[in-house]
Amino acid sequence: MASDAGGLAGAVSSADEVLRPSTYGTIPLDDWVETVVKDWLVPNFRPAFRAAQWPVDKVLSNLNDLLQVIPFAAILAIFVLIAWRFAGRGVAIFTLVSLALLETVGLWSETMTTLSMILTAVVFCAAVGIPLGILAAGSDRFEAILRPILDIMQTIPPFVYLVPIVMLFGVGMVPGVIATIIFALPPIIRLTNLGIRQVRDELVEAGYAFGSTRRQVLIDIQIPLALRTIMAGLNQTLMLALSMAVIAALIGAGGLGLTVFTGLGRLDVGMAFLGGLGIVLLAIILDRITQAIGAGPAARNASWTLSGFFKRLLGYARSGSEAGRPSGQAAE
């Protein structure tokens, strides 16, 4: 009985060996990729890639210099007013407390560096992603070509393309921003495409019926109606960019990600915690503000907007002056 079982197992193993493609040879795909990148792409196109990073470098360096020069109180006031205007009193108070906390723990400069990197990545994602989303919405064939590329960009681990990015662009903040752009670009393309495709056909046909050109229909009908979905894509891009802060630090990017990375390297739990806390607070502030902007004025709490504050202030002053008048004058 045991010999029969052993013979059956041997037959199954032999059949498995016969059916395995690796029995007849292996494909050296890793060698091919390394040859293409190291022996062809880097020697021939590295100067072109270095030149292509020039606009990213300029935007990033200027923005970082500006944020580092502006006084803390001014940036705090700007963020609190923006949060109050678009997201309400609660988010404004949270923004005030969070930014004050980051300055108190000595992470203000790192926070501004991270903010400049994130804003630069989001600007380039929007500049590239929104036009690509519009093109995909207007052509099913272009969307079919673009979709697998976006799938690869969203599913491939960022560590995989950090190596060729370092070989082509070097190390530093700019290669970190480029890696962030690759990682954060797909959502804004997908949601721009989705938002424009969801615009009702009757409205588009009405625009053409009134003599509008394709460009006028796009600018005056499709984009305004899809703006909420596009802003949702921008919000997702922003969040993905923030999630790359620590990974980008592996190739020399600074900011809060470098604080976390340094803390991990030194086994300094406190430093790693502060860096992570800064990223979380910055993510919450930017997320709430962009969500409120995307929700539109109707969804905002108008009673705590900046205009609402002044209206209430004027209303109180008017009611107070009327209350101070004699009853007869007030009636007049």
Side-chain angles (χ1 to χ4, degrees):
M1 188 67 180
S3 62
D4 292 343
L8 180 61
V12 171
S13 176
S14 301
D16 183 59
E17 288 294 328
V18 170
L19 294 176
R20 284 176 180 270
S22 61
T23 304
Y24 308 100
T26 56
I27 300 175
L29 185 59
D30 52 344
D31 294 335
W32 295 350
V33 172
E34 188 167 356
T35 301
V36 168
V37 174
K38 283 187 176 178
D39 298 338
W40 179 72
L41 192 62
V42 173
N44 294 303
F45 295 98
R46 187 170 185 177
F49 280 99
R50 287 294 183 97
Q53 72 179 3
W54 182 83
V56 179
D57 185 20
K58 289 299 177 186
V59 173
L60 176 63
S61 58
N62 290 328
L63 188 57
N64 188 38
D65 293 344
L66 180 65
L67 290 176
Q68 299 289 350
V69 167
I70 297 177
F72 161 75
I75 294 183
L76 183 67
I78 291 170
F79 266 88
V80 169
L81 288 175
I82 292 174
W84 192 359
R85 173 66 181 86
F86 292 106
R89 179 185 59 174
V91 178
I93 294 174
F94 179 82
T95 303
L96 176 68
V97 174
S98 300
L99 294 182
L101 176 64
L102 291 175
E103 202 282 332
T104 305
V105 298
L107 288 178
W108 185 251
S109 178
E110 289 81 359
T111 303
M112 292 300 100
T113 299
T114 299
L115 183 62
S116 65
M117 292 175 60
I118 299 307
L119 292 180
T120 303
V122 170
V123 164
F124 281 92
C125 283
V128 176
I130 292 176
L132 286 177
I134 292 172
L135 289 175
S139 169
D140 292 337
R141 181 175 298 178
F142 184 71
E143 187 200 21
I145 296 172
L146 194 61
R147 184 181 298 170
I149 299 173
L150 297 179
D151 292 341
I152 293 172
M153 291 172 67
Q154 278 193 297
T155 55
I156 190 170
F159 293 99
V160 174
Y161 50 79
L162 286 184
V163 176
I165 283 179
V166 169
M167 296 175 73
L168 292 170
F169 296 99
V171 295
M173 289 177 58
V174 175
V177 171
I178 291 172
T180 304
I181 291 171
I182 295 172
F183 184 71
L185 183 60
I188 195 166
I189 299 176
R190 290 187 190 278
L191 288 176
T192 300
N193 175 28
L194 178 66
I196 292 178
R197 285 179 181 271
Q198 284 182 335
V199 175
R200 292 169 55 189
D201 293 338
E202 295 85 353
L203 297 174
V204 176
E205 291 172 2
Y208 286 122
F210 280 99
S212 301
T213 64
R214 186 172 181 178
R215 181 181 176 184
Q216 289 173 327
V217 168
L218 175 67
I219 294 175
D220 297 332
I221 297 177
Q222 291 178 311
I223 290 180
L225 292 175
L227 192 58
R228 189 169 181 174
T229 308
I230 295 173
M231 287 302 298
L234 193 69
N235 175 268
Q236 292 301 307
T237 293
L238 187 63
M239 293 299 102
L240 287 178
L242 270 167
S243 70
M244 277 288 290
V246 178
I247 297 176
L250 296 174
I251 57 174
L256 295 169
L258 183 60
T259 304
V260 176
F261 185 63
T262 305
L264 290 174
R266 298 176 181 173
L267 295 180
D268 188 337
V269 180
M271 180 182 288
F273 172 77
L274 286 182
L277 178 66
I279 294 172
V280 169
L281 293 178
L282 198 58
I284 294 174
I285 292 170
L286 296 176
D287 176 62
R288 296 297 182 271
I289 292 175
T290 52
Q291 275 192 7
I293 293 173
R300 294 174 202 150
N301 186 358
S303 62
W304 287 106
T305 60
L306 191 61
S307 57
F309 169 75
F310 286 114
K311 287 177 181 176
R312 283 202 316 280
L313 194 65
L314 293 174
Y316 291 155
R318 189 179 300 114
S319 61
S321 62
E322 289 179 352
R325 293 178 187 172
S327 58
Q329 293 180 7
E332 289 175 2

